[in-house]
Amino acid sequence: MNTSIRLAFNNFISIYQGLSREIWVLSVVSLINRIGAMVIPFLSIYLADAKGFTLAEIGWVMSSFGVGSLIGSWLGGKLTDKFGFYPIIIFSLFTSGIGLILLKELDTFYEICGGFFLVTLFTDILRPPIFVAIRQYSSEKNRTKSITLIRLAINLGFSAGPATGGLLIATWGYTSLFWVDGVSCILALLIFVLAIQPKKKMVEENDDSLEENKKSQSPYRDFPYLLFILSMVFFGVIFMQYFSTVPLFYKEVHELNEAVIGLLLSSNGFVIFLLEMPLIHWVEKQKKYSTMQIMMSSIVLVLLSYILLIVGHDLWVLFIGMMLLTLGEMLMFPLSNAEAMSRASGKYQGDYMALYTIAFSISHLVGHNLGMQSVNIFGYNYTWTFMIAGLLLCIVLLQLFQFSKKREELSQTAK
């Protein structure tokens, strides 16, 4: 029995081998940065209790938060293409760290709207350069696995953040959140600077060639890629419902209490942390199905989870639905990220990865409110039906993307 456990453990550890030291450092930086993002889960409570804001005012603050994320992602891509990923990561971690500490000094509605807009902008500038850094410090063979490791670090940080934040509020009050968030960004910055030095040689080795750099085009003129991004926007909007309208559905329709709802939602993060890397390791080893086929299968899994929301009446059915969503998420996000990264080459790498992150910024900005309004007007079952239709549209868009890619490859071969 001990030998079997040891063998299973060694096999599990072997999955993480072969990744560069820089990728591990980037994952630690992402972990610390996301643990520090503990203001976010408590933002609405802080604004209501500590600042006395109305629900309408809180809504506008959250909107400024979303707009900052959108512009920050776009700006991060532009700056990365101009200056490289290394200085932009440093700039983002430093400015967001200082900004978070200063947020505690803001009091009025307009000050807080402006403050959260700027801090979110500085924070989300980090996204495109991190993706470009992953491309530079990973090989094509282990790129998806490198992305998955960063995702695991981020998910672990988001899981630990709220618990840490709750303890800080109970012990030292809301002000401590801003201090810890800001200091964590500075700590992540120090680790990054001390552990990673920019290497020009690696950029040259990982970029396909100077010829490709000349032929590269802006992602905003890359029609197949725009189809791919549109598919990701729809997928993101529908995925977000599981963390906004679906919990409300659990409470109002199934009459589940907060503890059970919390367990259902936390099962998503726990399963991702435990199984995503082994799952991606298996996907990379098998050659039977293409990346695009697996991505479409992941959409089908999420679609099935929404069907269970319509037909299911028992808790175990809701749990299966959550697991289907989780499995779809574990496949879709690393593979779609790797697909975007494979498309990003030459001098527009930052723009490509910015557009990918913008897709999910739009999903955050639109998805939560859209779902709530749909439930308010049409009810839950019709809303889930709309989501199923949206997922079918995602599949159609991915098929069009694949078709456009093949036509593009044929035309290049003909030349």
Side-chain angles (χ1 to χ4, degrees):
M1 182 66 179
N2 288 339
T3 306
S4 300
I5 293 172
R6 195 181 304 115
L7 184 63
F9 178 76
N10 289 337
N11 287 335
F12 183 79
I13 293 299
S14 69
I15 292 171
Y16 292 84
Q17 292 175 350
L19 301 176
S20 69
R21 183 180 68 87
E22 288 84 0
I23 292 295
W24 283 100
V25 173
L26 286 171
S27 68
V28 171
V29 168
S30 300
L31 173 64
I32 294 170
N33 195 37
R34 287 307 172 186
I35 287 177
M38 60 187 74
V39 165
I40 298 167
F42 298 98
L43 180 57
S44 58
I45 302 171
Y46 166 74
L47 294 174
D49 291 353
K51 298 298 179 183
F53 283 12
T54 65
L55 290 177
E57 288 174 328
I58 292 170
W60 281 111
V61 173
M62 298 302 285
S63 293
S64 66
F65 192 92
V67 174
S69 173
L70 192 68
I71 295 174
S73 296
W74 173 81
L75 189 59
K78 292 292 182 187
L79 292 173
T80 300
D81 285 337
K82 188 172 180 62
F83 300 106
F85 68 86
Y86 194 85
I88 304 309
I89 290 175
I90 292 173
F91 172 78
S92 174
L93 290 172
F94 178 76
T95 53
S96 55
I98 298 301
L100 281 162
I101 293 171
L102 294 176
L103 274 180
K104 64 183 176 57
E105 305 298 330
L106 305 180
D107 285 312
T108 69
F109 168 69
Y110 291 108
E111 284 176 353
I112 289 175
C113 278
F116 272 100
F117 167 78
L118 287 173
V119 168
T120 310
L121 185 149
F122 291 138
T123 301
D124 282 6
I125 280 175
L126 182 68
R127 292 185 180 188
I130 282 285
F131 286 136
V132 173
I134 293 169
R135 191 175 196 272
Q136 302 304 318
Y137 293 120
S138 64
S139 64
E140 193 173 340
K141 185 179 177 182
N142 64 20
R143 191 157 292 151
T144 306
K145 200 182 288 186
S146 299
I147 293 166
T148 305
L149 182 65
I150 303 293
R151 263 182 50 79
L152 287 180
I154 290 169
N155 276 318
L156 186 60
F158 271 129
S159 299
T164 308
L167 288 172
L168 286 171
I169 292 169
T171 309
W172 290 296
Y174 283 106
T175 302
S176 63
L177 289 185
F178 296 101
W179 274 108
V180 174
D181 275 8
V183 170
S184 71
C185 286
I186 304 300
L187 177 60
L189 166 61
L190 290 174
I191 291 172
F192 176 76
V193 171
L194 293 173
I196 296 181
Q197 296 299 320
K199 293 183 180 178
K200 227 174 191 179
K201 191 177 178 183
M202 286 198 72
V203 174
E204 291 168 2
E205 287 174 355
N206 277 280
D207 209 357
D208 294 333
S209 66
L210 290 174
E211 189 62 32
E212 182 181 323
N213 193 58
K214 290 175 187 174
K215 292 189 293 183
S216 63
Q217 63 176 330
S218 165
Y220 301 98
R221 295 183 178 181
D222 186 342
F223 178 70
Y225 189 66
L226 292 175
L227 287 172
F228 173 75
I229 292 300
L230 185 59
S231 177
M232 291 302 100
V233 170
F234 278 104
F235 183 83
V237 166
I238 294 161
F239 173 77
M240 297 300 172
Q241 304 310 312
Y242 257 88
F243 302 93
S244 54
T245 53
V246 171
L248 203 60
F249 170 73
Y250 289 156
K251 187 171 180 63
E252 292 186 351
V253 176
H254 290 275
E255 299 180 344
L256 302 181
N257 61 41
E258 284 79 359
V260 176
I261 294 170
L263 287 172
L264 273 173
L265 295 176
S266 63
S267 67
N268 169 268
F270 177 75
V271 171
I272 287 172
F273 177 72
L274 201 62
L275 298 180
E276 184 170 274
M277 184 65 90
L279 178 64
I280 293 301
H281 180 71
W282 175 82
V283 166
E284 286 189 325
K285 287 181 72 175
Q286 66 84 34
K287 305 295 181 184
K288 191 174 179 181
Y289 304 104
S290 69
T291 298
M292 202 54 58
Q293 286 174 317
I294 296 170
M295 285 172 62
M296 289 179 190
S297 299
S298 72
I299 294 173
V300 173
L301 290 170
V302 177
L303 187 152
L304 290 173
S305 77
Y306 275 99
I307 291 175
L308 289 183
L309 289 180
I310 295 172
V311 303
H313 300 287
D314 299 315
L315 180 59
W316 65 270
V317 178
L318 299 179
F319 177 74
I320 291 172
M322 178 61 76
M323 290 302 99
L324 288 171
L325 175 97
T326 303
L327 185 56
E329 176 188 357
M330 288 192 293
L331 291 169
M332 174 57 86
F333 286 116
L335 293 177
S336 64
N337 205 320
E339 182 67 31
M341 208 170 282
S342 70
R343 201 81 186 162
S345 60
K347 62 181 181 179
Y348 291 107
Q349 291 182 48
D351 271 350
Y352 268 91
M353 298 319 301
L355 198 52
Y356 178 79
T357 59
I358 283 169
F360 296 102
S361 294
I362 293 171
S363 301
H364 274 289
L365 197 60
V366 174
H368 302 304
N369 191 39
L370 182 68
M372 292 293 181
Q373 296 300 329
S374 177
V375 167
N376 185 49
I377 298 169
F378 302 107
Y380 287 107
N381 283 350
Y382 277 114
T383 297
W384 307 153
T385 305
F386 297 150
M387 299 304 156
I388 290 168
L391 289 166
L392 291 172
L393 180 58
C394 283
I395 293 173
V396 171
L397 287 168
L398 281 184
Q399 287 178 327
L400 288 172
F401 167 62
Q402 192 174 27
F403 176 72
S404 299
K405 269 180 66 177
K406 286 180 180 177
R407 283 189 62 182
E408 185 181 69
E409 289 164 7
L410 286 171
S411 66
Q412 287 175 355
T413 304
K415 289 178 183 179

